[in-house]
Amino acid sequence: MPASIQSLPETATLPELLSLLNDSLYPSQREWAADRLTHFDWRIHPQVAESLLQAARQDPAPLVRVTCIRSLALLKASTTYVVQMLQEAKLHDSDSRVRQEADQ
């Protein structure tokens, strides 16, 4: 396990996860947070889908973008904005892994 995620708690609160996804310097922590956000209902906590969507579009690390796309799919967050982001990522993302994940 990478040192950057060894110190993370097994469970984290929604504000902690959102903060990690948006602010952590470590891509592994941002991936971890994106994965853990799937434990929250985005219909009750719309900031979950919003943060995953933003990170899927803007995170500098391709694997974080991939994880955000997977998390949105697991959450079945098929809003107009998510569908639009997937179409854009499928065609224009600089990383082939992100394009492939968006296509699926």
Side-chain angles (χ1 to χ4, degrees), residues 8-103:
L8 295 174
E10 188 57 35
T11 59
T13 66
L14 180 57
E16 290 169 334
L17 291 172
L18 294 171
S19 178
L20 273 174
L21 178 61
N22 294 318
D23 301 325
S24 178
L25 297 177
Y26 299 104
S28 60
Q29 288 184 353
R30 298 193 306 272
E31 279 182 70
W32 183 84
D35 180 64
R36 292 300 190 272
L37 284 170
T38 62
H39 297 266
F40 294 88
D41 186 338
W42 68 272
R43 292 168 193 88
I44 296 170
H45 307 283
Q47 65 271 37
V48 169
E50 292 165 9
S51 292
L52 288 168
L53 179 63
Q54 180 179 350
R57 279 190 167 134
Q58 298 176 354
D59 198 280
L63 291 179
V64 174
R65 297 195 304 274
V66 166
T67 303
C68 289
I69 290 170
R70 284 184 187 148
S71 294
L72 287 164
L74 285 170
L75 290 168
K76 296 180 177 26
S78 56
T79 67
T80 302
Y81 297 113
V82 171
V83 172
Q84 181 181 7
M85 177 275 298
L86 290 173
Q87 290 170 344
E88 291 170 6
K90 183 169 53 171
L91 296 174
H92 304 295
D93 196 276
S94 61
D95 191 276
S96 63
R97 295 166 293 185
V98 177
R99 292 192 304 271
Q100 182 177 0
E101 192 66 34
D103 190 41

